[in-house]
Amino acid sequence: MLSTARKCLDYPWRFILAAVRKKKKSLAALSRENGFCAGTLSNALTKPWPRGEAIIASVIGLSPEEIWPSRYQSKTFRMRKRKCAGKDMSAAEEKINHQ
């Protein structure tokens, strides 16, 4: 239920397509201009993909955070805990210890 409420904050995909078309572009053309297959950028409308989101946002003239706030709201730095030699260690600590 919470994820549905968060998704309501995002711009509707139809609005995004309309904004791209106002700039005399299409997602297929943008995909090809950026070295992707024609349908690749359409994935950013439904799935998190920072690179694609940035391309679309730059054409529209907004930031990706404005278009897809639900994808960027909870992006706080979290370290994963790992078991290593019987101790709990975060991934960062483990990396430091192995250098």
Side-chain angles (χ1 to χ4, degrees), residues 27-38:
L27 287 183
L30 283 174
S31 291
R32 288 189 293 268
E33 287 172 13
N34 288 282
F36 301 114
C37 293

Side-chain angles (χ1 to χ4, degrees), residues 1-9:
M1 189 73 125
L2 181 61
S3 63
T4 306
R6 284 188 178 169
K7 286 201 179 264
C8 291
L9 300 173

Side-chain angles (χ1 to χ4, degrees), residues 5-19:
R6 284 188 178 169
K7 286 201 179 264
C8 291
L9 300 173
D10 294 347
Y11 282 30
W13 64 268
R14 291 178 185 198
F15 172 85
I16 298 166
L17 287 178

Side-chain angles (χ1 to χ4, degrees), residues 76-88:
T76 57
F77 181 76
R78 289 181 233 142
M79 295 185 352
R80 293 185 306 171
K81 292 284 185 183
R82 292 186 179 174
K83 289 268 189 188
C84 183
K87 301 185 253 180
D88 279 336

Side-chain angles (χ1 to χ4, degrees), residues 41-94:
L41 274 181
S42 63
N43 291 330
L45 297 176
T46 56
K47 302 173 197 154
W49 180 39
R51 188 172 178 187
E53 293 164 10
I55 293 167
I56 293 169
S58 68
V59 170
I60 294 174
L62 297 171
S63 70
E65 292 85 3
E66 291 175 285
I67 301 170
W68 296 282
S70 69
R71 298 180 188 182
Y72 292 89
Q73 277 177 345
S74 61
K75 296 286 182 178
T76 57
F77 181 76
R78 289 181 233 142
M79 295 185 352
R80 293 185 306 171
K81 292 284 185 183
R82 292 186 179 174
K83 289 268 189 188
C84 183
K87 301 185 253 180
D88 279 336
M89 301 180 81
S90 68
E93 290 171 332
E94 186 177 338

